[in-house]
Amino acid sequence: MSATAEEPELQNGHEPEPIPKPEIEPASEPEPSELEPKPVAQPEPEAEPAEPESVPEQPEATDADPKPEEPKQSSIQSNEATGNASVKAPTGELRKDEGSRTFTMRELLSGLKADEADESAPDATSPYSQESPQQPNDQNNTAMDLINSVTGVDDEGRSRQRILTFAARRYASAIERNPGDYDALYNWALVLQESADNVSQDSASPSKDALLEEACKKYDEATRLCPTLHDAFYNWAIAISDRAKMRGRTKEAEELWKQATKNYEKAVQLNWNSPQALNNWGLALQELSAIVPAREKKTIVKSAISKFRAAIRLQYDFHRAIYNLGTVLYGLAEDTLRSGGSVHAKEVSPNELYSQSAIYIAAAHALKPNYSVYSSALRLVRSMLPLPHLKVGYLTAPPVGKPVAPHNDWRRSPFVLNHEGLHQIHKSEQNQVPQSLSGRSGDAANFDKKAIRVDVPDIVSVSACADLTLPPGAGLCIDTIHGPVFMVADSWESLDGWLDAIRLVYTIYARGKSDVLAGIITG
């Protein structure tokens, strides 16, 4: 973390000012809407240039978010209009970004509208047009009673609920005919979950929690019949999370969050190529970390960090996971600062954690500059960046023009990353190196005037590497149109930061948003 004129408080070990807590604004572009809880990912309607490859074992994926995790804080604070428990953090707070729901339920509703119209005709021929003469069992009766009691808050909600009620009858009839129909159980669970979101605040309406509980029972039955139904595990975890939020920071909520994390884990095991499931898994872990005893918190927070990072490496422009990673790092920095700083020399300092947090929040804002939550967070953390750069740090590099050189010829030297690229700092630029770096080591005085430089447009891929030609340590390979550039990071944790930062800068360039990033770090 660098010392700049804009961050004297941080360098003196003081906590930053509290961040504003704006509500997440409605999506202003055609993303999966806040009304769709369901699983299958859909890409954003933007054509993108190819982006740098991820580490080989983590391929890319399409964009879409799950049913939203509700707005939360870096202190794991819930700030919902529905009145969920809220615990005020003693220091600056960052709202976590929510995921947006996907299109499965929307498509289901569209199909049901057509089916409902067909059924109203005397000669309807829909295979579902004739309900079973059998009466539903008690559990089905309970679910149907809940569905029938739901009223929407407006005309659109009431119309939507009529379709959901029609769907519930259809699935109840299908299950009466075939109790082993796991697809019908799964779809009925979706209907119950969607109806829970359509519950009005009228006291005559059923409990949202009761609807979600019934949905969980249907997901449980469906997964017992089909243990590989990853969508059911995924949406089941969302329903459990919604129930947990209603219980604040209680022991019951802790158990529910643990159940949610287990279901997300199962969903990821069955469908590893899902950045949305990884993002939600990270959010659930972040919520859980606010409830468990302090001795367990750090381990859970680090696990959440790994889930957000894995989501980003599946999809480099997944701005929600990028932002959420920034918030969890910010919260970890606050916890570390309150506990008196790093306990061990190998641990990352609070200042460095704040700087890492700022990189991800800046990247999320560059990708989605119209999101007010990202803008508000950026106002707090921008001074934590090593301006006028995005990232600074040390890398061990070979002599310029000699990628294959004896290990003794490699030198540890400072590098800076901005919207234009990554480059090594030579002697004439020492005044540009932040004091926190230049004061750490004498290595900066040992390298040539010529410097290694990698321009963002030249990047082909970025990956970790292990090669006998490299000195021991965390190897980094940046493949460019001019050939590969090899370096070694100070640690594997440091390597993760470099990999993410370089990939994010390239992704922002590929999205045509480099000017936004330039404005952040140079404006």
Side-chain angles (χ1 to χ4, degrees), residues 103-127:
F103 290 87
T104 303
M105 195 58 180
R106 181 180 298 168
E107 295 167 351
L108 175 64
L109 288 171
S110 297
L112 288 171
K113 285 181 181 178
D115 287 349
E116 187 180 36
D118 290 343
E119 287 214 351
S120 65
D123 58 346
T125 58
S126 166

Side-chain angles (χ1 to χ4, degrees), residues 74-338:
S74 67
S75 57
I76 323 302
Q77 173 173 351
S78 178
N79 186 27
E80 302 173 27
T82 54
N84 289 355
S86 176
V87 179
K88 187 175 181 181
T91 61
E93 295 172 350
L94 286 173
R95 182 185 300 281
K96 291 184 294 188
D97 194 17
E98 55 182 359
S100 58
R101 311 178 189 185
T102 54
F103 290 87
T104 303
M105 195 58 180
R106 181 180 298 168
E107 295 167 351
L108 175 64
L109 288 171
S110 297
L112 288 171
K113 285 181 181 178
D115 287 349
E116 187 180 36
D118 290 343
E119 287 214 351
S120 65
D123 58 346
T125 58
S126 166
Y128 300 101
S129 61
Q130 300 299 322
E131 292 190 8
S132 168
Q134 297 175 313
Q135 293 298 315
N137 59 31
D138 290 343
Q139 185 178 347
N140 290 352
N141 272 330
T142 300
M144 284 306 308
D145 287 345
L146 288 169
I147 291 284
N148 289 328
S149 301
V150 178
T151 56
V153 296
D154 52 26
D155 289 342
E156 182 180 354
R158 286 187 284 274
S159 174
R160 187 183 186 86
Q161 191 57 42
R162 283 195 296 271
I163 299 170
L164 291 168
T165 303
F166 166 77
R169 288 198 300 267
R170 191 170 95 169
Y171 297 131
S173 178
I175 292 166
E176 283 296 314
R177 291 192 298 268
N178 178 14
D181 188 347
Y182 56 81
D183 280 332
L185 282 164
Y186 169 67
N187 285 327
W188 196 357
L190 291 179
V191 168
L192 285 159
Q193 195 170 0
E194 187 71 14
S195 295
D197 288 341
N198 210 27
V199 170
S200 72
Q201 301 303 313
D202 188 341
S203 59
S205 297
S207 164
K208 178 175 182 176
D209 187 61
L211 284 161
L212 291 171
E213 185 178 15
E214 285 298 318
C216 290
K217 291 177 182 177
K218 303 301 181 192
Y219 287 131
D220 191 10
E221 292 179 51
T223 54
R224 287 176 189 273
L225 293 168
C226 182
T228 59
L229 198 61
H230 61 83
D231 288 346
F233 282 106
Y234 173 82
N235 285 304
W236 186 6
I238 293 172
I240 294 171
S241 298
D242 287 343
R243 298 191 70 205
K245 292 170 194 169
M246 299 175 189
R247 288 160 172 79
R249 299 191 179 187
T250 63
K251 187 65 179 177
E252 187 180 5
E254 179 183 344
E255 293 304 315
L256 287 170
W257 284 119
K258 287 179 179 178
Q259 292 176 28
T261 60
K262 289 178 181 177
N263 281 4
Y264 281 128
E265 180 177 14
K266 187 67 175 178
V268 170
Q269 288 173 347
L270 294 170
N271 181 27
W272 59 268
N273 196 32
S274 174
Q276 299 78 32
L278 285 161
N279 178 60
N280 272 15
W281 189 1
L283 289 170
L285 286 165
Q286 197 172 354
E287 289 282 5
L288 179 61
S289 71
I291 305 175
V292 298
R295 64 181 179 275
E296 302 175 26
K297 181 173 183 177
K298 193 168 186 179
T299 299
I300 295 174
V301 167
K302 287 186 175 181
S303 183
I305 289 171
S306 71
K307 303 304 178 282
F308 291 134
R309 182 163 275 143
I312 295 168
R313 290 183 178 179
L314 282 174
Q315 184 183 324
Y316 302 129
D317 62 352
F318 192 5
H319 60 92
R320 298 186 187 280
I322 293 167
Y323 179 80
N324 288 334
L325 179 51
T327 66
V328 76
L329 286 167
Y330 185 93
L332 181 58
E334 289 186 310
D335 290 342
T336 305
L337 194 61
R338 283 194 292 267

Side-chain angles (χ1 to χ4, degrees), residues 359-380:
I359 290 171
Y360 293 104
I361 291 170
H365 174 79
L367 289 168
K368 293 292 178 181
N370 60 326
Y371 273 33
S372 63
V373 172
Y374 300 176
S375 301
S376 298
L378 181 62
R379 284 194 290 272
L380 171 68

Side-chain angles (χ1 to χ4, degrees), residues 445-509:
N446 297 326
F447 53 87
D448 300 330
K449 190 171 183 179
K450 289 185 177 179
I452 294 172
R453 181 179 180 89
V454 179
D455 294 325
V456 172
D458 296 342
I459 296 175
V460 175
S461 68
V462 184
S463 63
C465 65
D467 193 300
L468 293 177
T469 63
L470 304 182
L476 166 66
C477 176
I478 306 175
D479 194 13
T480 74
I481 58 176
H482 306 295
V485 177
F486 295 99
M487 286 166 282
V488 178
D490 286 350
S491 66
W492 292 104
E493 187 172 86
S494 174
L495 176 65
D496 284 337
W498 281 111
L499 287 171
D500 284 353
I502 296 169
R503 287 169 177 155
L504 289 173
V505 169
Y506 180 88
T507 300
I508 291 166
Y509 160 77

Side-chain angles (χ1 to χ4, degrees), residues 386-414:
L387 303 173
H389 308 294
L390 182 68
K391 181 176 176 63
V392 298
Y394 279 92
L395 291 168
T396 299
V400 177
K402 298 180 181 179
V404 180
H407 293 178
N408 289 339
D409 292 345
W410 289 57
R411 293 290 181 267
R412 181 173 177 269
S413 56

